Amino acid sequence: MKNLFVLLFLGVIGLYSVPLLSQTDITGSIVNASNEGVVYASVSLLETDLSFVNSAISSPEGNFKFIDVTAGTYLLRVDHMEYDTYTSAPITVASGNPVVIPTITLQSSINTLGEVVVTKKKPLIEVRADKLIYNVASSPSASGTNGLDLLKKSPGVTIDIDNSISILGKGNVQVYLNGVQSRLSGNDLTTFLQSLTSDIVNSIEIISNPSSKYDAEGTGGIINIRLKKNVSVGFNGNATSSFTKGLEFKSSNNVSLNFGSELIKTNIDITQSTDNEPEFFDDKKYQNDALLYLQSEELRVREGYNIGFGAESQLSDNHFVSFSARGILNDNESDLESTTNIYTLEPEELSEILFSESIAEGTSSNYIGNLNHFWNTSKTSTLSTNISAGIYDTERNTFQPNTYFEPDGSTVITTEDSSFDANTQIDLWSAKMDYEKEWEGVTLSTGAKYAHVITKNQFAFFNFENNEPIFDPTKSNDFNYTENVAAFYASINFKIGNSVVFNGGLRVENTDSRGQLLSEVDIENKDVKRNYTDYFPNVGMSFDHGEDHTWSINIGRRITRPNYQDLNPFESPTSQLVVWKGNPFLKPNYIMNYQASYTFQQKLIVTASYSKTTDFFARIVEIVEGNNTQIIPRNMEKSINYGISASFPIEVTKFWELVAYGDVNRQTFEGDVEGTIIDLDRILWNYQIQNNLKLPYDILMDVSYRQRSEWIWRGSVYIEGTQSLNFGIRKDFMDDRIQIRLTGVDILRTNSDYPYNSNYGGIDLQGTYTDDGRRFGIGVTFKFGDPKAKAKKTTKSALDEELNRI
């Protein structure tokens, strides 16, 4: 049966991967009538309708190059103040076939060059050879939202109640910023994403099945968030302010400055943002012949600053260098109030009431620096070197008063107050080198990488006596974790005939780790060492039938290592009745991905996928004693996901474009987890319809609708489906120097309540989670400086993304 499925699968057509090698390079040279190289000529790569694709500046020798151009038909336009404008005949770019343009000779001009106007066309969703791109800047409704909200709007991406991210139903997704690892997960990743406002985000890249060139970390795939960056020669910038209101408010203010010369270009951006996030639970839990009825509400307040700097320079025709740095600083506060009514079931009557509160405050800081050197070693080979370093620090102080009352709600039975301080520091650095060599129809890529991470976690617990905190060494600990990952990869692409392209690669990674627990409690798992080597192959093939049809298939293996916090074996309370406990023996999980795709005219894209994850991470709720429970991460035997997805843009009229996306997946979770049998099976579906409208008076509007079926949370809980209707309106004034945006998210309030249920391991759970989903907002942007500054060539960073595993 399994073999039959694989055979059927390989015959199915599908989405994200498109052709594995539908990109190539275009090179050429420009001379004058005396056969001398023309320097600083502006070379524009245009589609046949004159839509802008990319630009370059000719070198002192008159050479130019466009890298990774998608297969298609293009025009070249060359502009220079001293010469007549040159426009080429149509140029056909075939998959994986480098194009060398015959030498272009410019004629001297005696006339003043008029203004060159090129229209940039950025669709909401772009399909590339290896990824799907959601262009945030093209969506008016994205204004005033943060990075987490933007992911919720991205096609194929879903976010659960824990803010865990999935792509096409697969979790353990790695998140990067401008191609650099975020190194965060859980609440830390949530805070990080919330500090990235839509005003500074340019696009979101979704890579569902990365090749061997990428780090093998992340069984669910990769999400890369690209921030806005100006690449023009001259000075310009913009100031943006956004405000949204639901039950609470969110706001952001941003200033971006850009200055570029022919030798170097620099940019700096500063963003201040404030988020107020309310959250509610109405939860009934049946266990040990008792009913625990919990009602809670929490308000989390975050105020942060996001500061970035970047510089790029073309040192010569063959050498490019770039440097970037970013600092993200946040102050966080939260207040959680909970009331738990505890009932006996035989007879059914209220026995006691627990009122608990969790008041927390803290700070977090994240600093990242990256240095990149790109060297064209010859016309057919390149070498890139990348070094990155980062520091992440977080401090959090929590006070938890707990009072038990008699059923009358006023007579105190006991009072148990406690507090704890939780601090984390992470130091990391990595170095990477990639080499690529091209022959006619063949491309060889190889590279190596080394990453070093040290994380130090301190947990200090205090009991209260006579309103004074007393340090409790038996509930306190330090946990230090060190990890070194060394990797090497090699891949080859070659063309067979005119239409078939084969891709194959292998990545080898060695992981050496050590987790050390320092505690006065005598437990077994105080020092856990691991060293293992894994192999991650990736193979694929594509068939390009002219301009209309493309088929491709690929197979790859990936890994997800446990988060650092999940490995800490000590307990930390989330309330008087619930504790979190790590698992130092949590094993990595592995996934095999099978994916097949079909593309029609680079518009209709259909994808079929099958994946099997072994040792799946599940967060299990277990009864420990009486009415107390613990949440602990454990390895589940396996999770299987298979389904199909499709995306299609439709130009309904000249003023109305519709983009439709949908996917259907079947998920199964199976395993014997410490004697608890879990066997879940669900068909999940999700679709999104985006309408882009050009209204009178140059008003742009988008209206989107998204619906999601029932889904599975934490591998063991069913969540009912939701739907949402969103809109955005945008209007430019004063020659596009001022832009005003109005937005509405979940305007019918159908995506704010999440009913859930579960029944396993002696726990029957049902309840409703509610967030602040319905929001309305306004945003204003003012552009200053020279908006028509000459475009400068953008250097391409080869820095690969790191892990995302704090």
Side-chain angles (χ1 to χ4, degrees), residues 447-490:
K449 179 179 180 179
Y450 183 82
H452 174 73
V453 180
I454 297 177
T455 174
K456 299 178 181 179
N457 304 271
Q458 298 175 326
F459 183 80
F461 191 89
F462 300 85
N463 297 306
F464 276 75
E465 296 180 9
N466 299 321
N467 294 324
E468 292 293 330
I470 306 298
F471 178 69
D472 187 347
T474 65
K475 296 183 178 180
S476 304
N477 77 309
D478 291 347
F479 180 70
N480 299 328
Y481 182 79
T482 303
E483 182 178 270
N484 300 290
V485 178
F488 172 81
Y489 79 90

Side-chain angles (χ1 to χ4, degrees), residues 313-325:
S313 178
Q314 181 176 347
L315 301 180
S316 68
D317 184 39
N318 296 319
H319 292 272
F320 304 87
V321 294
S322 64
F323 172 77
S324 64

Side-chain angles (χ1 to χ4, degrees), residues 647-663:
S647 176
F648 189 52
I650 304 172
E651 187 173 346
V652 183
T653 69
K654 184 178 180 181
F655 308 103
W656 177 15
E657 181 189 35
L658 184 149
V659 181
Y661 170 84
D663 60 70

Side-chain angles (χ1 to χ4, degrees), residues 20 37 56 113 125 197 299 334 361 376 399 492 513 702 738 797:
L20 292 173
L113 180 65
I125 298 174
T197 66
L299 177 62
S334 65
E361 60 180 17
N376 286 312
F399 174 55
I492 187 170
S513 66
D702 68 46
I738 294 179
S797 172

Side-chain angles (χ1 to χ4, degrees), residues 353-388:
I353 301 172
L354 169 63
F355 177 78
S356 59
E357 194 171 7
S358 184
I359 305 169
E361 60 180 17
T363 61
S364 65
S365 58
N366 193 6
Y367 304 96
I368 306 171
N370 305 279
L371 180 64
N372 174 48
H373 174 246
F374 187 80
W375 178 19
N376 286 312
T377 55
S378 70
K379 291 185 178 180
T380 59
S381 61
T382 61
L383 179 68
S384 64
T385 306
N386 307 272
I387 299 174
S388 65

Side-chain angles (χ1 to χ4, degrees), residues 659-688:
V659 181
Y661 170 84
D663 60 70
V664 179
N665 295 276
R666 183 179 180 183
Q667 283 185 335
T668 64
F669 298 87
E670 300 177 11
D672 183 345
V673 184
E674 298 295 314
T676 298
I677 303 299
I678 296 178
D679 185 6
L680 303 180
D681 189 338
R682 271 294 183 271
I683 294 179
L684 316 175
W685 50 265
N686 165 68
Y687 70 89
Q688 176 177 318

